[in-house]
């Protein structure tokens, strides 16, 4: 009887294709930094800048005329700004989750994706942070929310989840930036070494912190990354947990549910992975990275999204069921009347279909292999996740306990402008990133490529 | 490596003795205080079903994620799953004690209690029993399929068995996640019929894997002491320890979130659940639950290397075995029997169930190869090094 080795190779596929030498890998992965700026980059930058300008106008309006320019009213005191804030934070989840969780679970394939995912995190969290900042009305006094001894006798309400938010998100942003930056130090050193441009050599050299690639440096570096990873893991969970607590510790029907923290957390991973999928499909096409971000990588992301979608579906179903089971009239009204059949029914069913049903297409291999379908599903999920936050926030506030205080909520142009502005910020940030920083962690991919070749040789497979 | 387990005389004798103790405890219980015995039967049913379902979810997860490190001892979780059909019978017996456990099953309660009347379409005896039968049917079928695929794989080296197991695993995890969380709501949460928490079922379902891993660890060391699994190395121990460590965080997270949200909002209808547990006579057990299931495993396992040590692994796993019991006691007893009781009935019944559970597991292990013969990832698992 043949033993297991005969078919042991069918389960694992190589993570980096092609029998590439180290030099070749460097050449291919640094092409975005070392090559000429492509035309579409300028086009993208122009669009991003226009969006940013719209955001600037909306920001100016909010400051000069006040928050009255927003669609908020007495009942819906949290409108588009909080919806968008939570949406961006959710997207900002995937990057660090990619690095940390896949480091912990020894998932080597994440090596080709984590750099871009982390960049996405950094810019998405920055976009998210803008909303509460502007919502304060006087952003120049934003430092009031930081706890430090002061002569104004200001003391913070440590019982407020909003304050927990400030701490969790700032810590998360700082750690994400550190993780992102430190992860690219060896790559920056490689660029500094290769570039002929004197200014480039100086700047990349400065940011590579004197990296010399010695065994000693690598040893320290890996310890540091593991420690940072260990620190970031609870932070990833804490951020969206605390965003969920903003809502769930209140007594508003539809908000006060114990499942909200894990449900928000999974939702964040889910929407973040969808955004990663969108971006990776574009990037591998733009920079010809098909050997590094293979079908297997996209396939894995699709699997995560598929299971995430099931958990989201479970959470929706649980909330509906318990709302009925609770026997509380307000809960029943919120879920069955306002959300499922009433004013918000269109948004509600968009949310259900986009988040819980459409991603189930990923059960089919054909859908996971078809880039167009994958791309479309990833966009649909991000729209669905936006509606999820819209449903949770607006429907509970607009129609709460007292029918006499029920209102309808419409965003104004300024609301939309700020949202468009964050898209501009995100686009410009990502475009700067893909022009000046290697989009795939070269130093992480090299050992993976070597391992893939070794396996291929042992198995006598031809790749 | 081809050996299967043979039950030694001493082990058989000890387990039989435990079962006899259990039978005596059940009889004593029914003679002296049936109202105290029924909740204990429910507790032990759910206790061992949690381990079985958790083990099967662990088994499925290995296929779904394509994990190779655990392939060598994947028969242990599979054997632990053998209790699911037995649990089905034992749960059906609950039918005769419904009124002693559930407030909503009292005759005429719907006329006096408005909330229970509202829930009556869901909380009524026939539907409750029908749901129970459906859950078990849906769990047992994929379990039997996975088991027969594993046995067939031993006879014939064919990748098809691995692929089919993968597929059935996906079906099983779907069913288990959906209906085990539903079952936890059904069997435990409805004891406090007025109270509700959306996290309740999810928490019971997720943490079941935690206790299953603890049981797998104990069983693994027991079998190793009998000479099986000579290839079990430091890396396997380390990975199992990491499972425990990470699940301790998950447990702490879910436990604290449910508590924090209800405590903070302070709605009387919802905090009433925590009133006897947090302030009443159960408060020491309330903290014990948190310490045994979260704080102690978390702090002890914080240093990565310590998990490789056998005494630590055995110690923490044993702690969790008690921790699960306390956790279920705090969930079930305040709403059903209402008074904290700890005596021969509680201990004896648990011992009896444990004896039966182990006997069924070991019997299942004796019916198949201890190490899968043709698992495609077996070589990976045997040579697992970090």
């Amino acid at each position: 009887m043949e033993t297991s080795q005969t078919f042991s190779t069918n389960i694992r596929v190589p993570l980096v294709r092609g029998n590439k030498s180290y030099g070749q890998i460097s050449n291919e992965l640094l092409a975005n930094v070392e090559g000429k700026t492509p035309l579409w980059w300028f086009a993208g930058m122009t669009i991003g800048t226009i969006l940013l300008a719209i955001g600037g106008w909306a920001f100016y309006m909010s400051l000069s005329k006040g928050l009255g320019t927003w669609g908020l009213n007495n009942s819906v005191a949290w409108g588009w700004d909080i919806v968008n804030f939570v949406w961006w934070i959710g997207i900002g989840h995937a990057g660090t989750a990619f690095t940390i969780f896949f480091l912990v679970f020894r998932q080597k394939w994440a090596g080709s994706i984590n750099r871009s995912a982390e960049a996405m995190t950094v810019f998405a969290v920055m976009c998210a942070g803008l909303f509460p900042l502007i919502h304060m009305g006087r952003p120049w006094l934003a430092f009031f929310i930081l706890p430090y001894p002061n002569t104004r006798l200001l003391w913070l309400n440590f019982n407020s989840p909003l304050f927990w938010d400030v701490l969790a998100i700032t810590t998360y942003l700082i750690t994400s930036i550190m993780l992102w930056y430190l992860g690219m130090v060896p790559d920056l050193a490689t660029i500094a070494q290769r570039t002929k441009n004197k200014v480039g050599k100086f700047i990349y050299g400065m940011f590579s912190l004197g990296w010399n690639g010695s065994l000693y440096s690598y040893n320290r570096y890996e310890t540091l990354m593991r420690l940072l990873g260990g620190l970031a893991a609870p932070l990833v969970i804490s951020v969206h947990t605390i965003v969920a607590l903003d809502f769930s510790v209140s007594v508003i029907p539809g908000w006060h549910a114990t499942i909200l923290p894990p449900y928000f957390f999974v939702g964040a991973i889910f929407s973040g992975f969808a955004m990663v999928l969108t971006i990776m499909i574009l990037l591998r096409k733009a920079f010809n990275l098909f050997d590094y971000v293979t079908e297997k990588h996209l396939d894995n992301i699709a699997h995560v999204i598929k299971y995430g979608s099931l958990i989201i579906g479970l959470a929706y179903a649980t909330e509906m069921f318990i709302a009925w089971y609770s026997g509380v009239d307000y809960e029943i009204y919120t879920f069955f009347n306002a959300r499922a059949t009433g004013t918000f029914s269109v948004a509600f069913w968009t949310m259900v279909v986009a988040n819980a049903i459409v991603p189930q297409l990923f059960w089919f291999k054909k859908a996971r292999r078809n880039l167009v379908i994958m791309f479309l599903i990833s966009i649909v999920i991000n729209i669905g996740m936006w509606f999820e936050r819209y449903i949770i926030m607006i429907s509970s506030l607009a129609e709460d306990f007292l029918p006499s205080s029920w209102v309808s909520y419409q965003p104004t142009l300024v609301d939309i402008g700020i949202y468009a502005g964050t898209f501009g910020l995100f686009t410009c940030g990502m475009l700067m990133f893909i022009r000046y920083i290697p989009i795939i962690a070269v130093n992480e991919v090299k050992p993976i490529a070597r391992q893939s070749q070794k396996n291929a040789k042992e198995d006598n497979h031809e790749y | 490596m081809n050996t299967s387990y043979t039950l030694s005389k001493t082990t058989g004798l000890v387990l039989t003795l435990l079962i006899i103790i259990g039978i005596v405890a059940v009889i004593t219980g029914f003679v002296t205080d049936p109202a105290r015995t029924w909740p204990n039967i429910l507790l032990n049913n759910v206790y061992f079903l949690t381990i079985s379902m958790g083990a099967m979810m662990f088994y499925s997860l290995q296929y779904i994620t394509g994990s190779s490190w655990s392939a060598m001892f994947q028969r242990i979780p599979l054997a632990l799953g053998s209790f699911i059909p037995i649990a089905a019978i034992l749960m059906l017996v609950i039918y005769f004690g419904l009124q002693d456990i559930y407030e909503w099953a009292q005759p005429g309660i719907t006329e006096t209690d408005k909330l229970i009347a509202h829930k009556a379409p869901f909380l009524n005896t026939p539907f409750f029993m029908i749901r129970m039968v459906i859950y078990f049917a849906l769990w047992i079928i994929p379990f039997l399929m996975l088991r027969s695929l594993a046995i067939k794989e031993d006879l014939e080296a064919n990748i098809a068995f691995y692929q089919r197991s993968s597929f059935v695993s996906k079906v099983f995890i779907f069913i288990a996640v959906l209906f085990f969380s539903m079952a936890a709501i059904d069997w435990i949460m409805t004891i406090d019929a007025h109270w509700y928490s959306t996290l309740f079922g999810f928490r019971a379902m997720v943490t079941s894997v935690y206790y299953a891993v603890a049981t797998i660890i104990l069983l693994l060391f027991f079998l190793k002491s009998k000479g099986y699994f000579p290839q079990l190395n430091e890396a396997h121990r380390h990975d199992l320890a990491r499972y425990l460590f990470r699940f301790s965080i998950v447990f702490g997270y879910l436990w604290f979130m449910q508590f924090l949200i209800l405590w903070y909002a302070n709605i009387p209808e919802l905090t009433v659940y925590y009133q006897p547990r947090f302030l009443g006579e159960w408060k020491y057990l309330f903290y014990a639950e948190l310490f045994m299931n979260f704080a102690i495993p978390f702090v002890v396992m914080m240093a990565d290397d310590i998990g490789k040590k056998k005494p630590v692994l055995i110690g923490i796993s044993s702690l969790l075995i008690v921790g699960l019991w306390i956790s279920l006691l705090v969930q079930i007893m305040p709403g059903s029997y209402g008074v904290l009781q700890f005596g021969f009935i509680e201990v004896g019944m648990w011992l009896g169930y444990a004896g039966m559970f182990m006997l069924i597991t070991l019997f299942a292990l004796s019916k198949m190869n201890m190490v899968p013969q043709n698992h495609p990832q077996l070589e990976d698992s045997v040579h697992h090094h970090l």
Side-chain angles (χ1 to χ4, degrees), chain A residues 1-12 104-107 157 159-161 164 237-238 240-242 244-245 248-252 255-263 265-266 303 306-307 310-311 314-315 317-329 331-332 360 363 368, chain B residues 64-69 115 118-123 154-159 162 170 173-174 177-178 181-182 185 189-200 202 205 239 242 246 249 253-254 257-262 264-267 270 373-380 384 386:
Chain A
M1 191 162 56
E2 286 291 322
T3 49
S4 48
Q5 286 96 326
T6 43
F7 49 80
S8 66
T9 55
N10 290 343
I11 294 168
R12 299 213 170 158
V104 166
F105 293 140
R106 298 196 296 267
Q107 297 295 308
N157 182 5
N159 293 337
S160 165
W164 309 340
I237 301 169
S238 80
H240 229 72
T241 299
I242 287 170
L245 288 180
S248 55
V249 296
S250 71
V251 294
I252 310 277
W255 285 11
H256 182 60
T258 46
I259 206 173
L260 236 60
Y263 155 42
F265 172 67
V266 175
H303 281 301
K306 172 178 87 183
Y307 288 106
L310 281 178
I311 300 180
L314 178 71
T318 312
E319 279 204 311
M320 296 296 274
F321 170 68
I322 296 285
W324 171 80
Y325 177 85
S326 73
V328 178
D329 292 339
E331 292 277 348
I332 294 174
Q360 300 309 319
W363 285 104
R368 296 199 305 268
Chain B
I64 292 172
T65 55
S67 304
S68 58
W69 67 279
L115 259 177
H118 170 80
K119 297 175 194 197
F122 182 71
L123 292 184
D154 278 358
L155 300 176
E156 187 194 343
N158 191 342
I159 188 78
Y162 178 84
K170 286 169 193 166
I173 208 91
F174 181 84
V177 165
L178 191 60
S181 47
M182 200 63 219
I185 291 176
M189 199 177 93
T190 63
I191 291 174
D192 298 271
H194 287 191
W195 183 78
Y196 60 90
S197 162
T198 37
L199 190 54
F200 197 92
F202 188 74
M205 181 271 295
D239 271 353
R242 285 168 171 182
R246 279 155 208 165
I249 300 174
Y253 176 68
L254 298 177
M257 280 309 140
Q258 178 169 303
F259 179 70
L260 175 75
I261 290 170
L262 298 182
Y264 195 110
N266 205 10
I267 299 174
L270 297 175
Q373 300 299 297
N374 297 309
H375 194 288
Q377 287 167 323
L378 187 64
E379 287 298 308
D380 255 20
H384 179 49
L386 292 173

Side-chain angles (χ1 to χ4, degrees), chain A residues 229-294:
Chain A
L231 279 175
L235 280 173
V236 176
I237 301 169
S238 80
V239 171
H240 229 72
T241 299
I242 287 170
V243 171
L245 288 180
D246 290 348
F247 305 101
S248 55
V249 296
S250 71
V251 294
I252 310 277
W255 285 11
H256 182 60
T258 46
I259 206 173
L260 236 60
Y263 155 42
F264 265 45
F265 172 67
V266 175
I269 297 284
F270 174 63
S271 71
F273 271 48
M275 196 59 146
V276 169
L277 194 56
T278 316
I279 289 174
M280 285 330 286
I281 289 174
L282 292 177
L283 282 185
R284 76 197 277 268
K285 181 97 183 136
F287 292 106
N288 199 13
L289 299 172
F290 300 102
D291 287 341
Y292 300 94
V293 184
T294 62

Side-chain angles (χ1 to χ4, degrees), chain A residues 419-438:
Chain A
Y419 189 40
T422 52
F423 272 104
L425 181 65
F426 187 74
T427 315
C428 291
M430 285 306 283
L431 284 172
M432 294 293 272
F433 157 70
I434 59 176
R435 183 68 192 90
Y436 294 108
I437 293 167

Side-chain angles (χ1 to χ4, degrees), chain B residues 322-342:
Chain B
V322 186
L324 174 59
W325 191 81
I326 289 180
S327 177
L328 286 172
L329 190 80
V330 175
Q331 287 172 44
I332 291 174
M333 291 302 172
S336 54
Y337 190 62
V339 189
L340 179 55
Q341 289 282 3
F342 185 73

